[in-house]
Amino acid sequence: MSDFDQVSLDAGGKPVTLPVLKGTLGNPCIDIATLPKQTGCFTYDSGFTATASCKSAVTYIDGDEGVLLYRGYPIDQLAGKSSFLEVAYLLINGELPTAEQMAGFEHEVTHHTMMHEALKNFFTGFRHDAHPMAMLCGSVASLSAFYHDTLDLNDPEQRRMAAVRLIAKMPTLAAAAYRYSIGWPIAYPKNELDYSSRFLHMMFEAPGAQLELNPVVAKALDLLFILHADHEQNASTSTVRLVGSTGANPYACVSAGIAALWGPAHGGANEAVLKMLEEIGTPDNVESAIAKAKDRSSGFRLMGFGHRVYKNFDPRAKIIREMTHKVLEELGVDDPLLEVAMKLEEAALKDDYFVERKLYPNVDFYSGIIYKALKIPTEMFTVMFAIGRTAGWVAHWLEQQVDPEAKIGRPRQIYTGADVRDYVPVDKR
Ligand code: SDX
């Protein structure tokens, strides 16, 4: 990256100089705050493809090199050595916890996993076939109606407690949405279990039965939560920050993040990938699927492929791909969709259309196959993404709350509508 600390441009013959800001890693950024005053111009960048919305120390991605760091730690090291709760602590606090800090954090999260008994009524208001993301979005927003003791955003302890509650209760609400959809009573969290085992128990222990937890499943789930925990200023995290910039409560912010994550271009892609693989059905149909994905008029995209930032392999996809083979083997699951996915990946990575556009598998491409092997229903895949990403959402929200440069988000526009004109009475139209 060339080393310069300002840029100059010519605005209709008027020279304009703008400062360049640099972070610890990554692209320098031109500070355009004085641009309107110096030139009368705004900047235009649909989808914020080249625009930094904030300064952040939480996560760093190098899209060209396929690097992902949580507070400086490479994702493959955290995936191999950490736990989701330890990663959540790291994202929120910026440092790995001591054994004592971890014990305290784990105890606190464990003792905030229950939902208020009245909140259970919220679920019975939904149709049984409501999408679990609808139930999650609604129930998370309603937490602000129950926890008034964490709504004073000027109190750091209340902000911290809201973050703990959201991390603690997300699995409980997620499992409740699933149990309601299959007509089972909502299960209470068991404190003696670890974070991921507790979620599996709330999901799958049938009424009156004793669920035998499989440690392979719990470990795989914990790893998937780590891999989904944060990802810089992605659409849902940017949504949490934009809502947070208005002073809205943290439950409303995270509920907005859940809504943004739901879209198939974002977290909804894992559910869409599995539906796509089922539609393709067999490796013989891979070629026609690739052809359709290359034809813009088809409206069909290869779900789980491509990324706004990664123009190389998504490091999470590499880890999940290896994990998929291991988990299916350990569970003795032989899923024909895995062969379809592998053939699809192989064909796309050799095809000029995908190579020229630097389209690689992303985090969503293989995750659905693992969730399926873990007996997570397809409609719950994006909910799983939300459970992991809650750690990142609250970490960014907490960071924003103490950012001296933070202000209400209010983008500008290029107005393409009608010029000023007078009202015309209806009998003259
Ligand atoms: C996540 O931002 C994050 O960090 C997100 C995430 C996180 O952890 O938070 O990583 C999680 O959201 C992963 C992405 C999940 N989405 C999908 O898998 C859906 C399929 N992918 C695409 O819709 C797309 O790749 C996006 C949305 C992910 C990125 O879109 P961009 O950056 O806006 O790219 P684009 O739409 O401008 O595409 C560039 C070109 C276009 O072709 P041309 O106009 O150059 O001819 O690539 C093509 C696109 O048509 N293209 C695809 C494609 N993705 C892009 N063509 C076929 N299949 C695809 N999947």
Side-chain angles (χ1 to χ4, degrees):
M1 202 69 59
S2 40
D3 190 15
F4 46 85
D5 54 16
Q6 66 179 36
V7 293
S8 307
L9 55 90
D10 176 307
K14 183 190 167 199
V16 175
T17 304
L18 296 168
V20 171
L21 307 175
K22 296 185 182 75
T24 321
L25 298 168
N27 300 57
C29 290
I30 299 170
D31 182 345
I32 56 167
T34 62
L35 191 67
K37 200 159 161 230
Q38 292 195 63
T39 66
C41 295
F42 296 140
T43 57
Y44 175 65
D45 178 17
S46 171
F48 310 114
T49 57
T51 299
S53 59
C54 63
K55 293 173 183 171
S56 177
V58 180
T59 292
Y60 173 70
I61 300 171
D62 181 329
D64 295 329
E65 299 304 318
V67 168
L68 170 56
L69 309 175
Y70 288 168
R71 295 288 188 178
Y73 295 97
I75 190 66
D76 56 319
Q77 292 186 29
L78 293 169
K81 300 173 180 162
S82 190
S83 69
F84 172 68
L85 265 194
E86 184 179 70
V87 163
Y89 183 99
L90 169 67
L91 289 169
I92 290 173
N93 297 292
E95 298 297 337
L96 287 168
T98 61
E100 193 187 352
Q101 288 168 331
M102 189 58 214
F105 183 64
E106 185 134 33
H107 181 270
E108 213 174 18
V109 168
T110 300
H111 290 81
H112 282 281
T113 49
M114 279 219 351
M115 73 168 92
H116 189 291
E117 199 64 10
L119 185 50
K120 286 167 70 175
N121 304 326
F122 209 93
F123 291 91
T124 54
F126 286 100
R127 281 174 45 140
H128 275 296
D129 57 357
H131 195 288
M133 283 294 276
M135 293 193 254
L136 192 67
C137 205
S139 55
V140 168
S142 74
L143 291 174
S144 59
F146 290 89
Y147 299 106
H148 299 141
D149 62 346
T150 50
L151 299 182
D152 175 359
L153 306 192
N154 297 313
D155 179 347
E157 179 50 21
Q158 292 197 34
R159 297 198 299 264
R160 191 191 68 81
M161 264 321 294
V164 166
R165 279 204 168 107
L166 280 159
I167 290 172
K169 295 183 196 304
M170 201 58 75
T172 310
L173 297 174
Y178 170 64
R179 304 263 302 197
Y180 178 71
S181 73
I182 60 171
W184 281 14
I186 291 172
Y188 289 95
K190 277 191 170 174
N191 288 354
E192 67 273 23
L193 298 174
D194 64 60
Y195 192 85
S196 298
S197 303
R198 186 186 303 127
F199 171 68
L200 289 166
H201 160 261
M202 287 190 282
M203 280 282 286
F204 298 122
E205 181 161 278
Q210 180 83 27
L211 176 74
E212 201 174 308
L213 286 163
N214 181 333
V216 170
V217 174
K219 178 74 190 130
L221 204 49
D222 205 68
L223 177 48
L224 286 165
F225 287 152
I226 290 175
L227 296 173
H228 287 82
D230 193 50
H231 217 237
E232 279 192 0
Q233 306 307 323
N234 59 85
S236 53
T237 302
S238 299
T239 302
V240 170
R241 280 180 171 264
L242 185 59
V243 176
S245 74
T246 70
N249 72 72
Y251 308 104
C253 294
V254 169
S255 175
I258 292 169
L261 187 75
W262 195 355
H266 189 15
N270 54 19
E271 180 179 347
V273 165
L274 205 82
K275 287 180 177 155
M276 173 187 76
L277 294 175
E278 283 166 348
E279 245 172 65
I280 294 171
T282 70
D284 301 344
N285 297 334
V286 159
E287 216 172 296
S288 59
I290 292 281
K292 214 166 83 175
K294 288 159 61 176
D295 169 11
R296 289 285 298 252
S297 63
S298 73
F300 171 78
R301 280 196 163 186
L302 216 47
M303 301 314 278
F305 252 78
H307 198 276
R308 170 60 58 74
V309 175
Y310 288 124
K311 301 308 170 191
N312 198 325
F313 260 91
D314 181 332
R316 302 167 297 176
K318 276 187 190 170
I319 296 168
I320 292 180
R321 185 201 306 127
E322 282 148 36
M323 207 180 130
T324 305
H325 293 284
K326 190 163 165 280
V327 169
L328 267 62
E329 196 183 318
E330 285 174 347
L331 296 177
V333 170
D334 176 17
D335 187 344
L337 293 185
L338 177 56
E339 198 195 345
V340 177
M342 287 163 56
K343 282 270 184 275
L344 205 53
E345 178 187 11
E346 187 191 342
L349 293 181
K350 283 192 303 206
D351 187 292
D352 288 348
Y353 173 94
F354 292 88
V355 174
E356 281 157 17
R357 291 168 178 79
K358 299 185 177 178
L359 302 175
Y360 291 87
N362 60 48
V363 66
D364 294 307
F365 189 63
Y366 282 99
S367 53
I369 296 178
I370 297 190
Y371 287 139
K372 185 167 170 254
L374 303 183
K375 307 234 181 307
I376 305 278
T378 308
E379 284 209 327
M380 283 289 289
F381 288 3
T382 310
V383 171
M384 306 304 292
F385 197 142
I387 294 173
R389 188 52 55 89
T390 297
W393 287 332
V394 298
H396 282 274
W397 178 76
L398 287 171
E399 182 181 62
Q400 176 194 48
Q401 297 302 308
V402 294
D403 177 352
E405 295 183 14
K407 53 179 77 152
I408 188 165
R410 204 288 184 203
R412 307 310 294 265
Q413 63 173 15
I414 294 179
Y415 175 64
T416 56
D419 198 341
V420 63
R421 53 184 170 165
D422 294 327
Y423 183 82
V424 178
V426 67
D427 54 359
K428 297 265 186 307
R429 290 175 203 163

